[in-house]
Amino acid sequence: MLQSIITQFLSGFSVVAILVIAALGLAIIFGVAGVINMAHGELIMVGAYTAAIVGKLGGNTFAAIPVAFVVVGLLGLVIERGIIQWIYDRPLETLLATWGVGIILQVLVKLIFGPELYYAGAPKILEGGFRVIGRLPFPWYRLFLIVMAISLLLLVFYVIFKSDFGLKVRAVRRNRAISGCLGIDTARVDMTIFAFGCGLAGIAGAVLAPIKSVSTTMGFPYAVDSYMVLVLGGVGSLWGVLAGGALIGESETILSFIFNNVIGRLLVFLFIVVIIRVVPRGIFGFYERR
Amino acid sequence: MAEAVVRNEADQGPTSGKPASANRRQYRPPKFLPLWALIGGVIVVALIGSYPYYGSSAYVLSLLGKFLCFGLFALSIDLIWGFTGILSLGQAVYFGIGAYFVALSLKINYAMDHPTRYGGKFPDFMEWNGLTELPHFMAPLVNTPFAVVCALVVPTLLALLFGVITFKRHIYGVYCAVITLAESLILQDAIIEYQAYTGGFNGITDYSNYATPAFLWFILAVCVLFLIVSRALTHSRVGTVLKSIRDNDVRAEFMGYNVANYRIFVFCVSAFMAAAAGALYAAWVGIISFLDAGPVFSIEGVIWTAVGGRGTLIGPFIGAFLVKGAEFFLSGALASWWQIIVGGLFIFVVLVMRDGIVGTIGNLLRKWRKGATLEEVMEDSDRRAHDRQLDWQPGGPPPADEPVR
Amino acid sequence: MRVSRRRVLQSTGGGLAGILASGVAPYSFVRNIVKAAESDTIKVGILHSLSGTIAIIESSLHNAELLAIEEINAKGGVMGKKIQPVVEDPQSLVQVFAEKAKKLLLEDKVAAVLGCYTSASRQSVLPVFEENNGVLLYPTLYEAQECSKNCFYTGAVPNQQLDDFVPWIINTLGRKKFYLIGANYIYPKETNREVKALLQKHGGTTVAEEYSPLGSTEFSTNINKIASSGADIVFSDLVGDQIVAFYKQFKEFGITAKDIPICTPITTEQEIAAMGPENAVGHYTSFNYFQSVDSPQNKSFVDRYKAKYGKDAVTNAVMEAAYFQTYFLAQALEKVKSTDADALIYEGLPGQEFTAPQGKVKIDEKNHHTWLWSRIGKANEQGQFDVVWKSEDWIRPQPWVPYLYPNKTCDFTDKRVLDRLKKPWSAEKNRSGTIDL
């Protein structure tokens, strides 16, 4: 019994990793650009379909990651230039507009690919698992997800806080007008950061496709979870993504073991609602954007 | 010493010789119920209500009732969003609770006369979930009027609770939207999980429905009633305060209004309305499921309001009829293309037609008839007030307000 | 907002009246034209989810029915007219099933509907069919305990599937400790009741029973529990997307079919194609039909299906039923030479026979269910099933499971039922053919 609980706890790490990977793209778009992107789930879905196609063409997940990044990033560029750039000052309206984008993406993918499920396989090298404790092995792929989550967090940290580009992004977010006066091309920064966030969502899709199934409706649950992670952890904070993901992921896994999947999820949601009442900006929500 | 500025004749105030109506750019507040609206409303209500007599399709009849309920639901969203600026992505919670109370009551009554396939005199979904008889806490629902009262009161109390917790802590904007989304998901998941009591994924089906012409009139009456109530609310001082909260809540707070209380109040009113819409829907349609309490339905309501015109009262109805109507009449491959058009419509409404269909039509009409949109009129008025301030001479009479006609 | 309320009410008062008037008029006009043009075809509704969590399997039913209609039309159609399919996509949502069913019956006025997969969807549309006296042909295996005047069931009932499967698992596979896992709605729950009754009869035990909501795809917790429970066989009634996720994660955790096989009455070649054959190797399914059935009808059927839908397409038992039920319908229409529902129900459909890919099949004369064959298959590396057991003859359907309900049966030729069916719908709202023995 104790073994099962420990195994559960460890597999909870992989759930945390999944949440973090899914939420990072949204953290950039929501936290940094201030856009409520209701199409986040669909962007993940497009990334997953890209991975499925790459798989059909003979590649594996490792190859799919950069491809998905580029494909969904370009898609994000199109969305930003076409729609988002006009409505930065109206966050609640970005919600509506991106909901429309999400619907269009879903239907287009369905029309192009048909409604059947697609199959995106994990790379052979990552199959199977290694024994940690107890009877069940810990799957390599889940370990890969954990590694992926950490790397992506570090990547985003580097881009936002250590790079030149990141400096510009933070400047534009603090004060757009002055940044423009100082010679920063704000439109270019907006474009790039939005595309970057979308690209991250694409990577999430490519990486998550092998463990679930690829279908046109797979995105919505990921979007919901990502919002919960951000709201709990605090918008605009990388620590927040990690904290939110960790709290939600582990609680859901442990509660699911004790009760069942649905009650676990229910309790986690209730838990989030309660926490938000107490800490409205989220746990790490210092850098609040009004 | 500044010279007296030569003024326009039109600015001379009530003593000017020009009749008031010649100054078409002056702002005149709208009447509560203009004659045009009355006539138009009566025509529309008559057209819809008498459909059973001139129309032949039972399907269209069932759709009309449904769309009216959707329109009412969208109106409740419009009240809190279009007029008060609260975006709630979980309005379906109140709709769903209202619907489930009524549906459960009707189903329990139905099951008493129509035993299940195994002979039980209680709802079949309870039976295949392993219950052997009606749960005690559901027994009061046998009384349908009581269930209707519950359907209206419980969501309102829930809204009061949510409102107090959320608005008193000044959670607004995006966070409010996400919290309400979470609440909607919680309810949806709870409904699916506790399927012994709610029918779960299947929903509650197969109970007598009231899709009769008489009930259609009843639904129409309720819609008209709520429209009048909304009009009274938004046209009054309370409505003005709500709009000021929407435009700038900090300023409203500074002016001395208790913003949280106003928000809670309108939130409860809107929940009551959504619950009424849900109750009517359950009785009319005859099948309820977790979808009616979930986030997708809530967001759809927001979409109908946005497309139709938020901040107007008829807009939500038009949005619901338009978007849902086409969806129901198209089938097969066309339906997919319609989805794309709907998605594009949202984007279009957000980017271009910001006031929605009704709002934009209203703007155009106003411009044509009055020569100016409300925006321009208000700018004009501001400019004239500003000029009056500038023209004031020290020691002279204080700048007078323009009389409101 | 920026608009004067008065203007809005004015404009829309007139505008809405205008919209309605302008909308209703051309709509009725178009409808009449379309109706006139369609009077020389026979409309048949197709109500299967093409999107959503069940689409993975239900879209194949839709495909099979379209193939059958195409073949029937190529041979001249029915009563000299072509069959025109009217396709609706209820998106795997139970509520939308009921709405679309209403549309098909009331608006499109189809002769019959071929539809539904999950029991939940069937239960939500049946009242619509009963109230409007429509005809539904339902191709999916289900939990039984039902027979409606307005529905013909061409899928397996427990005595054509479970009755042989569970004893086979216990006796031939030697597994006695069952872990039951299913989707959270009526079909898995009823089926598990039946399985438990069979276990009692044949000496197996139930280690645990778990349900997961439709559409959920996270099973690591459940698999953990399975591994630590001591069960030696998993009996799964998971449905749709869940199947793919479950099998994949099962293998991911390193449990092979030799350790704990998954036995199910639901997983088909379709789901295996989506998850990849390596995730399903060695697990068992019980069905009336497998793509690997060795008969000339089946070979021809598979070839024709692949010709229309691509060489990677697979066939499965439920779409095979969808295929032959379309032929049943066509034969029935031809027999009664009308699209009247009562004619189809009382004279046209009962007793219809057809040589299906699985073998000879027949609609029972009395209970609206179908005589079917029973087989058990073991999944192999190519994503197909090796048939490891087959019934000797076709099996008569028993809509009421005898070991749970020994004193009920279904008989539409019984006088009590006929009297009941004569009453108008509003009187009792009962169109069931069940009688107490």
Side-chain angles (χ1 to χ4, degrees):
Chain A
M1 181 60 182
L2 181 63
Q3 282 184 351
S4 303
I5 295 190
I6 296 184
T7 318
Q8 219 26 31
F9 185 71
L10 286 178
S11 78
F13 279 151
S14 64
V15 176
V16 172
I18 295 174
L19 284 173
V20 166
I21 293 176
L24 260 181
L26 191 63
I28 301 282
I29 294 179
F30 188 14
V32 177
V35 173
I36 307 177
N37 182 12
M38 296 300 287
H40 183 65
E42 276 68 39
L43 292 171
I44 294 183
M45 183 258 294
V46 171
Y49 267 90
T50 314
I53 296 183
V54 167
K56 263 203 168 32
L57 294 175
N60 65 17
T61 311
F62 297 123
I65 291 177
V67 175
F69 180 77
V70 169
V71 166
V72 183
L74 285 176
L75 183 62
L77 209 63
V78 168
I79 297 175
E80 202 274 343
R81 281 292 98 186
I83 300 169
I84 308 289
Q85 70 164 325
W86 314 109
I87 46 179
Y88 274 113
D89 52 337
R90 303 183 252 151
L92 292 184
E93 314 224 350
T94 58
L95 191 154
L96 285 185
T98 50
W99 182 258
V101 169
I103 293 182
I104 293 182
L105 279 177
Q106 236 191 62
V107 178
L108 275 179
V109 169
K110 189 166 80 166
L111 284 177
I112 299 177
F113 290 97
E116 303 89 32
L117 292 192
Y118 270 72
Y119 165 53
K124 286 261 177 293
I125 192 177
L126 289 177
E127 278 178 14
F130 57 95
R131 252 167 231 291
V132 178
I133 187 171
R135 219 196 118 170
L136 288 183
F138 193 78
W140 281 113
Y141 198 74
R142 303 243 167 175
L143 185 65
F144 167 67
L145 285 177
I146 295 178
V147 167
M148 198 71 202
I150 298 178
S151 343
L152 283 177
L153 270 173
L154 288 174
L155 172 73
V156 171
F157 175 73
Y158 176 77
V159 165
I160 301 282
F161 289 104
K162 294 285 184 209
S163 74
D164 227 18
F165 172 68
L167 191 59
K168 291 183 189 164
V169 167
R170 280 181 289 142
V172 168
R173 191 162 134 258
R174 274 297 169 80
N175 194 324
R176 183 177 290 266
I178 297 291
S179 310
C181 290
L182 289 176
I184 299 178
D185 186 344
T186 55
R188 197 103 182 256
V189 166
D190 286 336
M191 232 164 58
T192 320
I193 200 69
F194 192 85
F196 182 59
C198 291
L200 283 177
I203 295 184
V207 151
L208 294 174
I211 57 170
K212 315 257 170 146
S213 46
V214 179
S215 68
T216 52
T217 51
M218 66 181 280
F220 191 66
Y222 286 119
V224 168
D225 284 339
S226 305
Y227 275 107
M228 295 305 137
V229 165
L230 290 184
V231 165
L232 183 63
V235 178
S237 156
L238 276 184
W239 278 117
V241 173
L242 189 56
L247 269 174
I248 296 181
E250 277 301 336
S251 332
E252 208 173 296
T253 317
I254 306 244
L255 286 173
S256 300
F257 188 74
I258 302 177
F259 304 105
N260 69 32
N261 279 347
V262 181
I263 297 197
R265 209 167 152 74
L266 239 154
L267 286 174
V268 168
F269 276 150
L270 272 172
F271 167 67
I272 293 176
V273 170
V274 165
I275 297 248
I276 292 299
R277 304 290 191 217
V278 174
V279 190
R281 297 283 166 271
I283 299 177
F284 283 94
F286 304 133
Y287 315 114
E288 170 46 16
R289 227 194 98 99
R290 185 57 166 103
Chain B
M1 200 63 130
E3 296 283 324
V5 174
V6 173
R7 285 199 220 157
N8 211 324
E9 265 186 29
D11 292 3
Q12 303 253 330
T15 54
S16 123
K18 286 221 164 97
S21 57
N23 186 356
R24 299 175 95 210
R25 289 174 79 91
Q26 199 168 39
Y27 175 70
R28 295 202 319 225
K31 290 190 279 193
F32 178 82
L33 189 65
L35 190 59
W36 285 87
L38 188 60
I39 296 181
V42 165
I43 293 179
V44 168
V45 167
L47 266 179
I48 296 181
S50 56
Y51 177 82
Y53 309 119
Y54 64 81
S56 56
S57 167
Y59 183 63
V60 174
L61 177 64
S62 74
L63 287 185
L64 280 177
K66 227 192 268 204
F67 292 167
L68 283 173
C69 295
F70 289 156
L72 192 58
F73 176 63
L75 180 64
S76 77
I77 294 180
D78 191 27
L79 258 189
I80 51 171
W81 185 38
F83 289 100
T84 321
I86 306 168
L87 178 61
S88 162
L89 294 182
Q91 195 70 354
V93 165
Y94 312 111
F95 183 90
I97 295 180
Y100 265 89
F101 266 111
V102 170
L104 275 171
S105 171
L106 291 177
K107 177 76 174 173
I108 291 173
N109 280 303
Y110 179 83
M112 298 207 295
D113 300 324
H114 301 92
T116 67
R117 50 161 88 162
Y118 307 115
K121 285 194 183 303
F122 61 107
D124 49 13
F125 62 83
M126 294 187 182
E127 195 164 49
W128 60 257
N129 271 296
L131 296 178
T132 49
E133 52 163 29
L134 192 67
H136 293 297
F137 67 87
M138 285 203 177
L141 285 179
V142 173
N143 185 348
T144 306
F146 173 72
V148 172
V149 168
C150 282
L152 294 175
V153 167
V154 169
T156 312
L157 289 177
L158 196 62
L160 184 63
L161 180 68
F162 282 170
V164 166
I165 300 179
T166 313
F167 300 128
K168 286 284 189 195
R169 295 214 41 115
H170 298 284
I171 300 174
Y172 45 77
V174 171
Y175 292 93
C176 181
V178 174
I179 292 286
T180 48
L181 183 70
E183 286 160 3
S184 186
L185 273 164
I186 291 175
L187 182 64
Q188 187 178 279
D189 280 352
I191 289 178
I192 297 181
E193 170 66 8
Y194 292 104
Q195 58 181 15
Y197 308 111
T198 65
F201 197 82
N202 296 11
I204 303 182
T205 69
D206 192 17
Y207 55 92
S208 52
N209 60 36
Y210 286 83
T212 58
F215 200 68
L216 184 64
W217 284 112
F218 180 63
I219 297 182
L220 270 171
V222 171
C223 285
V224 168
L225 176 69
F226 275 117
L227 270 171
I228 295 180
V229 165
S230 309
R231 177 69 175 154
L233 185 65
T234 56
H235 195 66
S236 65
R237 288 204 64 196
V238 175
T240 316
V241 175
L242 292 177
K243 286 182 235 176
S244 76
I245 295 178
R246 172 195 68 204
D247 290 334
N248 191 328
D249 52 348
V250 176
R251 183 169 63 192
E253 189 89 48
F254 269 107
M255 304 250 282
Y257 293 107
N258 189 335
V259 168
N261 284 353
Y262 276 94
R263 279 185 171 143
I264 295 172
F265 169 68
V266 74
F267 199 64
C268 292
V269 170
S270 119
F272 185 81
M273 211 182 279
L280 289 170
Y281 183 77
W284 175 264
V285 165
I287 170 170
I288 291 287
S289 76
F290 66 94
L291 289 174
D292 300 314
V296 177
F297 187 57
S298 309
I299 297 184
E300 280 193 325
V302 172
I303 299 295
W304 302 329
T305 310
V307 167
R310 74 192 110 127
T312 68
L313 292 175
I314 291 287
F317 283 91
I318 304 245
F321 269 78
L322 184 68
V323 175
K324 272 301 196 186
E327 191 182 300
F328 274 97
F329 283 116
L330 296 172
S331 58
L334 272 175
S336 296
W337 288 106
W338 173 247
Q339 288 276 59
I340 297 187
I341 295 179
V342 163
L345 191 61
F346 303 162
I347 301 177
F348 183 69
V349 161
V350 166
L351 292 182
V352 177
M353 242 174 31
R354 292 197 52 198
D355 294 327
I357 293 178
V358 169
T360 313
I361 294 179
N363 277 342
L364 291 173
L365 268 173
R366 179 164 235 286
K367 191 146 188 160
W368 169 61
R369 293 206 48 191
K370 282 256 177 163
T373 63
L374 188 59
E375 233 174 12
E376 293 168 9
V377 166
M378 281 167 64
E379 269 173 36
D380 255 10
S381 173
D382 281 348
R383 184 182 48 78
R384 283 198 298 274
H386 186 71
D387 288 347
R388 280 198 300 278
Q389 296 283 355
L390 286 183
D391 299 342
W392 175 71
Q393 306 281 24
D401 281 338
E402 255 178 8
V404 171
R405 273 171 242 281
Chain C
M1 213 45 181
R2 296 174 178 77
V3 182
S4 148
R5 211 63 57 235
R6 168 168 74 162
R7 285 291 154 241
V8 166
L9 286 176
Q10 276 181 4
S11 51
T12 57
L16 185 51
I19 288 176
L20 267 186
S22 62
V24 168
Y27 170 71
S28 324
F29 181 63
V30 167
R31 244 177 76 203
N32 287 335
I33 289 192
V34 167
K35 274 204 180 35
E38 287 171 342
S39 60
D40 58 349
T41 60
I42 303 217
K43 288 201 277 187
V44 167
I46 298 195
L47 189 64
H48 289 298
S49 310
L50 304 174
S51 58
T53 181
I54 309 287
I56 175 178
I57 178 78
E58 213 169 340
S59 50
S60 69
L61 308 189
H62 158 268
N63 291 346
E65 285 156 8
L66 287 184
L67 174 69
I69 291 180
E70 209 179 79
E71 293 172 0
I72 295 172
N73 281 343
K75 295 193 197 124
V78 169
M79 298 192 265
K81 304 183 194 174
K82 298 256 185 267
I83 300 183
Q84 185 200 352
V86 182
V87 175
E88 287 291 348
D89 173 12
Q91 306 159 33
S92 309
L93 295 170
V94 165
Q95 201 170 350
V96 185
F97 266 98
E99 288 168 1
K100 298 291 184 189
K102 240 193 230 175
K103 174 175 182 291
L104 285 172
L105 285 179
L106 297 177
E107 180 75 2
D108 300 306
K109 298 210 178 28
V110 296
V113 174
L114 309 160
C116 296
Y117 176 81
T118 62
S119 290
S121 57
R122 184 193 73 248
Q123 286 192 318
S124 80
V125 303
L126 264 182
V128 176
F129 280 90
E130 291 177 352
E131 185 178 359
N132 298 292
N133 205 25
V135 178
L136 172 69
L137 287 108
Y138 176 68
T140 315
L141 64 137
Y142 80 115
E143 71 280 1
Q145 272 80 265
E146 181 181 304
C147 53
S148 162
K149 169 198 178 201
N150 298 88
C151 185
F152 283 82
Y153 309 77
T154 52
V157 286
N159 80 302
Q160 295 166 321
Q161 222 184 358
L162 297 177
D163 273 22
D164 298 306
F165 195 30
V166 175
W168 186 86
I169 297 175
I170 296 179
N171 298 326
T172 314
L173 277 188
R175 313 273 177 166
K176 293 193 183 356
K177 296 190 237 153
F178 279 60
Y179 193 103
L180 307 172
I181 182 169
N184 202 3
Y185 71 106
I186 183 172
Y187 167 75
K189 292 204 165 176
E190 278 293 298
T191 305
N192 286 346
R193 270 182 69 207
E194 290 147 14
V195 168
K196 283 193 280 194
L198 281 168
L199 285 178
Q200 235 184 7
K201 212 162 107 172
H202 293 275
T205 55
T206 313
V207 168
E209 192 178 341
E210 271 212 332
Y211 296 99
S212 168
L214 265 177
S216 85
T217 49
E218 185 54 51
F219 289 103
S220 47
T221 320
N222 309 76
I223 298 175
N224 212 357
K225 285 192 201 169
I226 292 175
S228 52
S229 67
D232 53 19
I233 167 240
V234 171
F235 191 88
S236 150
D237 321 284
L238 296 169
V239 169
D241 281 3
Q242 294 179 312
I243 299 179
V244 173
F246 182 68
Y247 277 66
K248 267 195 190 174
Q249 289 167 27
F250 202 73
K251 176 152 183 292
E252 209 179 62
F253 276 88
I255 313 180
T256 67
K258 278 204 186 20
D259 304 327
I260 309 180
I262 306 177
C263 296
T264 159
I266 306 181
T267 307
T268 68
E269 291 88 338
Q270 197 86 16
E271 284 98 353
I272 294 183
M275 70 173 88
E278 67 274 7
N279 287 307
V281 172
H283 297 297
Y284 297 91
T285 303
S286 154
F287 257 132
N288 315 108
Y289 163 88
F290 294 106
Q291 184 176 335
S292 53
V293 160
D294 194 4
S295 80
Q297 280 88 22
N298 187 30
K299 287 211 173 5
S300 148
F301 168 62
V302 173
D303 288 338
R304 274 175 283 137
Y305 191 76
K306 283 185 193 268
K308 185 168 160 93
Y309 293 106
K311 63 174 181 53
D312 288 331
V314 290
T315 61
N316 63 66
V318 192
M319 58 87 92
E320 188 249 3
Y323 176 78
F324 70 68
Q325 76 175 8
T326 317
Y327 274 95
F328 276 150
L329 178 63
Q331 286 170 203
L333 285 168
E334 196 68 56
K335 176 173 172 193
V336 300
K337 296 258 183 275
S338 106
T339 57
D340 173 54
D342 281 336
L344 281 174
I345 292 173
Y346 289 116
E347 296 159 26
L349 282 165
Q352 283 291 341
E353 287 189 24
F354 184 72
T355 312
Q358 67 174 270
K360 221 169 21 140
V361 293
K362 167 169 89 153
I363 297 185
D364 186 274
E365 289 84 352
K366 290 191 183 179
N367 60 25
H368 285 201
H369 289 67
T370 312
W371 291 61
L372 298 166
W373 300 78
S374 177
R375 293 176 168 89
I376 299 179
K378 179 174 175 180
N380 63 28
E381 320 247 325
Q382 286 78 41
Q384 291 294 318
F385 284 94
D386 300 324
V387 179
V388 294
W389 181 86
K390 163 177 138 119
S391 67
E392 288 164 1
D393 201 359
W394 61 358
I395 305 177
R396 188 175 76 84
Q398 286 175 306
W400 284 90
V401 173
Y403 42 87
L404 287 178
Y405 301 97
N407 51 356
K408 281 194 201 281
T409 188
C410 179
D411 186 349
F412 283 97
T413 56
D414 184 284
K415 186 175 173 331
R416 286 171 282 176
V417 172
L418 290 170
D419 285 340
R420 184 192 308 158
L421 296 181
K422 280 203 192 47
K423 299 192 201 157
W425 166 254
S426 48
E428 253 180 53
K429 309 214 179 180
N430 188 345
R431 288 287 179 261
S432 140
T434 308
I435 46 175
D436 296 319
L437 288 169

